[in-house]
Amino acid sequence: TNNAATSSAMTYPPRSNSNTNTHAPEPQAYPSTLQSLLASSQVPVRRTPNITDSQSRRWSERFQELVEFKRTHGHVCIPSYWPENTRLAQWVKRQRYQYKLKTESRNDRPSTLTEERIALLDGLGFVWDSHAAFWDERLGELMAFKDRMGHANVPTKYKDNPQLGIWCKCQRRQYKIFCTDGPSKSYLTPGRISKLVEIGFVFDPRANSKRRSAKRAYPEAAQQRR
């Protein structure tokens, strides 16, 4: 399933209006500057104001790991507590914090995030909004679940990741609100629905279970419908 995830590489839009898409996201070409980075094995180390060479080198190393993650998984939705690479997970979280400092223009605590670094992260589809990042983080966990299990039907009481099970339940509830009360009443946007549909998320597991049961009970009828 990793190959499937790579072939349908999802790219998210830049940080503005990241969750207001009305259609399923389509693969986009990388900017030319990012193309060259992806083609190379090393990200160039450039110094930023008040930052040491070693700190710049560490930033470039983590960015290169993020590039490799995107190349492998087709997205940059890394959970905050990703056991396979905790340094990268914490680094991603720190970039959002540094971006917040930059946008607040705090003189007492200047940001280390330069415009060049922002452009590089934007090119990968990095999500800056912490609320949007939380949703995308859970989506990344769901994609990892599908990679392991071959489907995206996470049990509500999932012992390996209880938060993911609860999140999936919330998506189904928000989808019901979206359909019955209208999009303005639900935080589940059309763009998010498209992303969930793309990986095979089941919004109504009971109805899906009933259809499977009917096919088993009446295989001839199910065959005639085809």
Side-chain angles (χ1 to χ4, degrees):
T1 54
N2 279 337
N3 292 333
T6 304
S7 62
S8 60
M10 294 191 302
T11 55
Y12 300 115
R15 57 188 180 276
S16 60
N17 301 322
S18 59
N19 289 314
T20 57
N21 294 344
T22 56
H23 302 288
E26 297 180 356
Q28 302 173 5
Y30 292 131
S32 57
T33 53
L34 188 59
Q35 284 277 21
S36 60
L37 288 174
L38 289 170
S40 65
S41 59
Q42 287 292 331
V43 176
V45 176
R46 293 185 175 88
R47 293 197 59 181
T48 55
N50 302 319
I51 301 300
T52 65
D53 287 338
S54 61
Q55 288 172 322
S56 293
R57 186 171 294 104
R58 283 197 298 271
W59 194 97
S60 297
E61 289 171 356
R62 296 292 87 75
F63 178 79
Q64 183 65 36
E65 290 174 5
L66 187 63
V67 169
E68 293 299 327
F69 181 94
K70 169 109 178 185
R71 182 185 286 124
T72 301
H73 299 280
H75 63 88
V76 289
C77 306
I78 300 178
S80 298
Y81 303 99
W82 189 44
E84 294 184 32
N85 190 336
T86 55
R87 291 186 309 177
L88 179 59
Q90 290 302 307
W91 179 85
V92 166
K93 185 177 181 180
R94 190 159 56 250
Q95 302 317 297
R96 295 191 180 104
Y97 173 71
Q98 291 295 332
Y99 180 76
K100 183 179 180 181
L101 290 179
K102 188 176 183 66
T103 55
E104 291 176 350
S105 301
R106 294 181 54 174
N107 294 326
D108 62 324
R109 191 176 299 177
S111 172
T112 60
L113 198 62
T114 64
E115 292 298 329
E116 180 185 30
R117 290 179 175 182
I118 292 173
L120 288 171
L121 291 167
D122 273 342
L124 288 179
F126 194 83
V127 181
W128 300 99
D129 187 326
S130 59
H131 295 290
F134 174 81
W135 194 91
D136 282 350
E137 180 178 315
R138 290 289 174 269
L139 180 67
E141 293 176 1
L142 180 60
M143 294 175 71
F145 175 91
K146 183 178 180 181
D147 286 344
R148 293 194 307 271
M149 309 300 292
H151 62 83
N153 302 326
V154 181
T156 302
K157 296 181 179 179
Y158 182 44
K159 294 182 179 179
D160 291 348
N161 190 341
Q163 290 183 329
L164 179 60
I166 294 172
W167 181 83
C168 288
K169 182 179 179 180
C170 288
Q171 304 315 297
R172 295 186 177 104
R173 183 170 63 248
Q174 289 296 321
Y175 180 74
K176 184 177 180 180
I177 294 173
F178 182 96
C179 294
T180 57
D181 300 336
S184 62
K185 301 294 183 180
S186 171
Y187 69 70
L188 196 62
T189 64
R192 288 179 173 179
I193 293 172
S194 296
K195 292 175 184 178
L196 290 168
V197 169
E198 187 174 345
I199 62 175
F201 186 79
V202 178
F203 287 99
D204 191 347
R206 291 183 180 179
N208 198 55
S209 178
K210 288 179 180 178
R211 285 194 293 268
R212 288 199 301 268
S213 298
K215 287 181 181 180
R216 286 195 296 267
Y218 306 101
E220 298 83 0
Q223 188 68 27
Q224 290 174 1
R225 292 194 190 98
R226 295 180 178 178

